[in-house]
Amino acid sequence: VSPVRVNNDGENNAEDNMDGTFDCSECDRSFNSRIGLSRHSTTHSSSQCDICHKHMKDDEALASHMMRVHGSHDAGSDNE
């Protein structure tokens, strides 16, 4: 996900739009903050918990989630 920012001088530096919103490059959603877009971008990843269906940014985050939240690491994503 790579949002686009237009500076006050009109130059792009890949962060947000002129109106201050951050657009998802994979769907039509937009967000008021970069952190909102960052959180949303995990919904486009293939690393999803099979127990609670939460999306993670990568398989390492999924493994950490499984240990921390569910006490195991054998119920990861089957979406690979």
Side-chain angles (χ1 to χ4, degrees), residues 41-53:
S41 68
T42 63
T43 65
H44 297 296
S45 77
S46 63
S47 300
Q48 182 179 13
C49 177
D50 289 340
I51 297 171
C52 67
H53 306 290

Side-chain angles (χ1 to χ4, degrees), residues 6-65:
V6 178
N7 291 333
N8 292 337
D9 61 31
E11 185 177 321
N12 286 337
N13 73 358
E15 291 180 9
D16 73 334
N17 297 314
M18 282 179 142
D19 64 357
T21 60
F22 295 77
D23 293 337
C24 178
S25 63
E26 297 191 40
C27 70
D28 62 356
R29 303 243 357 234
S30 64
F31 302 86
N32 294 326
S33 68
R34 185 181 318 197
I35 192 72
L37 175 60
S38 179
R39 287 181 186 140
H40 163 75
S41 68
T42 63
T43 65
H44 297 296
S45 77
S46 63
S47 300
Q48 182 179 13
C49 177
D50 289 340
I51 297 171
C52 67
H53 306 290
K54 183 173 181 176
H55 292 269
M56 308 297 155
K57 65 180 181 177
D58 55 33
D59 289 339
E60 186 176 330
L62 176 59
S64 175
H65 164 81

